[in-house]
Amino acid sequence: MWTSKRRAVVRALVVAFPSIANSFSFRSTVGSSRPRWLSQQHSTRGYSVSSINMVNQIGNRVALLQVPVTESKSTNLKTASDYVRKAHDAGAKLTVLPEIWNSPYATSAFGDYAEVLPNVGDKLKEESTNEGEMSGTSDDSTEDSWGESPRLLMTLAKQYNMYIVGGSIPETCDKKIYNTCLIINPSGEVVGKHRKVHLFDIDVPGGICFKESDTLTAGDGVTHFEVDGLGKIGVGICYDIRFPEFAMLLTQQYNCKILIYPGAFNLTTGPAHWELLQRARAVDGQCYVLTASPARTSPPDDETDDTKYPHYSAWGHSTAVSPWGEVIATCDEQPAMVVTDLDMTKVEEMRMAIPTMKQKRGDLYRLVDGE
């Protein structure tokens, strides 16, 4: 059973990336003790992937990729590819990219970086020959129109035999732009496509003013998919996490045991609400909540840097939260990979111990799908 004094999942670590080229190190984020599965005769510092031989997928291991984002799409694609490879090397069966990982997070940038995305059921017809390179041609003109970002994700998922929750990408469709997350299975097939339902339109006095609706169109669907060992998984994007009704649909109507939110909270809302909302959704839904944020980047020097788009400072702190509402793995604002193993029996334990889903007062209130 859960207790307030002991974290339910002890297998958690953070992989910090001083730079893409350098090998990365491991440090535990769960309590003060070393993770049991690390060799006891070594320090937790200075491990590379190869030195601990973490190549095969390990149980219900997930990786949250906190990647730095630049104005160069080609650099962003290379960074994402590197991080997904390292997630595979760490034994993850599912990995999560952050919101808007291929583009600056700016309304003026979304149209410039938008791509045509595939739909649920689509897959590449030929396997790539090299990481990040899509080979072959297709008789399907729709596939020919897909952008390089989704093609990369589909290739990597198949190459590494893993599920990829592809953060989000600006999508162009029917002369509209959406903030869209693709979910790719190990066969390279799209098994979920979530268009951000709630657009980030806020004006905090003395804080931040941002209106996604200046450029983006809201989605109109609820997205979930299923993974062996993990069960049903629901997906939202960033601002979607602020709406408990949306999460309740996923957990109570569709029995999702994990909710995943790629997000890019800022320096105003991040310290106040990022962790709070994740813990709230985890307790409400009695489920795991996973988030992946872009890494924080430094504002440009106005005198020396020639940037085209307004700078956006992401809060970072990609996090995993248990059904008890505890943070079981997290990181700071720097580039990182958060890796944790999910004990899915804890979901049912929580739902049996505190059976709120069976105690709803249907005579007073009711949760229904939208018309």
Side-chain angles (χ1 to χ4, degrees), residues 241-321:
I241 200 173
R242 288 188 177 272
F243 298 86
E245 300 87 352
F246 181 79
M248 290 167 66
L249 270 178
L250 289 165
T251 56
Q252 297 179 27
Q253 207 90 329
Y254 300 105
N255 194 32
C256 292
K257 297 182 178 181
I258 302 172
L259 298 180
I260 297 178
Y261 295 93
F265 272 46
N266 54 72
L267 301 190
T268 299
T269 60
H273 300 149
W274 179 240
E275 180 182 312
L276 173 67
L277 287 165
Q278 294 175 64
R279 297 180 68 190
R281 297 294 80 80
V283 172
D284 288 346
Q286 300 178 313
C287 63
Y288 284 99
V289 171
L290 309 177
T291 60
S293 167
R296 194 179 309 168
T297 54
S298 300
D301 183 340
D302 292 337
E303 296 181 359
T304 60
D305 289 322
D306 183 20
T307 57
K308 183 177 179 181
Y309 306 103
H311 181 265
Y312 184 91
S313 293
W315 174 239
H317 296 82
S318 300
T319 299
V321 179

Side-chain angles (χ1 to χ4, degrees), residues 40-286:
Q40 296 297 312
Q41 68 266 30
H42 297 296
S43 163
T44 57
R45 288 186 173 183
Y47 278 95
S48 67
V49 165
S50 58
S51 67
I52 57 175
N53 194 30
M54 294 168 59
V55 175
N56 295 323
Q57 290 182 353
I58 300 173
N60 290 333
R61 179 163 293 176
V62 297
L64 314 175
L65 308 183
Q66 187 162 293
V67 304
V69 179
T70 72
E71 290 191 3
S72 167
K73 182 183 283 190
S74 61
T75 297
N76 296 335
L77 294 176
K78 176 63 165 60
T79 300
S81 182
D82 288 342
Y83 275 61
V84 171
R85 173 176 54 81
K86 288 168 181 174
H88 164 264
D89 291 345
K93 70 186 297 182
L94 179 147
T95 192
V96 186
L97 282 159
E99 181 183 23
I100 306 294
W101 58 268
N102 73 335
S103 161
Y105 191 75
T107 56
S108 56
F110 294 153
D112 295 341
Y113 287 76
E115 302 179 20
V116 175
L117 303 187
N119 294 312
V120 173
D122 287 338
K123 62 189 302 183
L124 294 174
K125 292 190 175 179
E126 292 191 29
E127 185 177 11
S128 63
T129 55
N130 295 296
E131 181 178 330
E133 296 180 5
M134 278 55 69
S135 65
T137 58
S138 169
D139 294 332
D140 188 346
S141 60
T142 301
E143 180 177 338
D144 292 338
S145 69
W146 298 341
E148 55 188 332
S149 299
R151 292 171 68 86
L152 174 66
L153 295 179
M154 296 164 85
T155 298
L156 293 175
K158 187 170 184 179
Q159 179 176 344
Y160 295 131
N161 190 39
M162 69 192 310
Y163 280 87
I164 296 179
V165 179
S168 74
I169 300 167
E171 176 195 11
T172 178
C173 181
D174 296 332
K175 298 183 180 180
K176 297 178 181 179
I177 301 174
Y178 299 92
N179 186 343
T180 303
C181 176
L182 294 177
I183 300 98
I184 319 294
N185 73 9
S187 298
E189 179 181 348
V190 178
V191 293
K193 182 175 183 178
H194 179 70
R195 289 171 171 168
K196 190 174 187 177
V197 172
H198 306 93
L199 297 184
F200 182 52
D201 286 5
I202 69 166
D203 188 357
V204 180
I208 183 173
C209 179
F210 199 99
K211 292 192 175 182
E212 282 187 325
S213 62
D214 286 345
T215 304
L216 299 178
T217 298
D220 58 5
V222 177
T223 304
H224 55 89
F225 65 105
E226 191 163 0
V227 176
D228 287 344
L230 295 175
K232 291 184 179 179
I233 302 173
V235 177
I237 299 175
C238 198
Y239 202 55
D240 288 339
I241 200 173
R242 288 188 177 272
F243 298 86
E245 300 87 352
F246 181 79
M248 290 167 66
L249 270 178
L250 289 165
T251 56
Q252 297 179 27
Q253 207 90 329
Y254 300 105
N255 194 32
C256 292
K257 297 182 178 181
I258 302 172
L259 298 180
I260 297 178
Y261 295 93
F265 272 46
N266 54 72
L267 301 190
T268 299
T269 60
H273 300 149
W274 179 240
E275 180 182 312
L276 173 67
L277 287 165
Q278 294 175 64
R279 297 180 68 190
R281 297 294 80 80
V283 172
D284 288 346
Q286 300 178 313

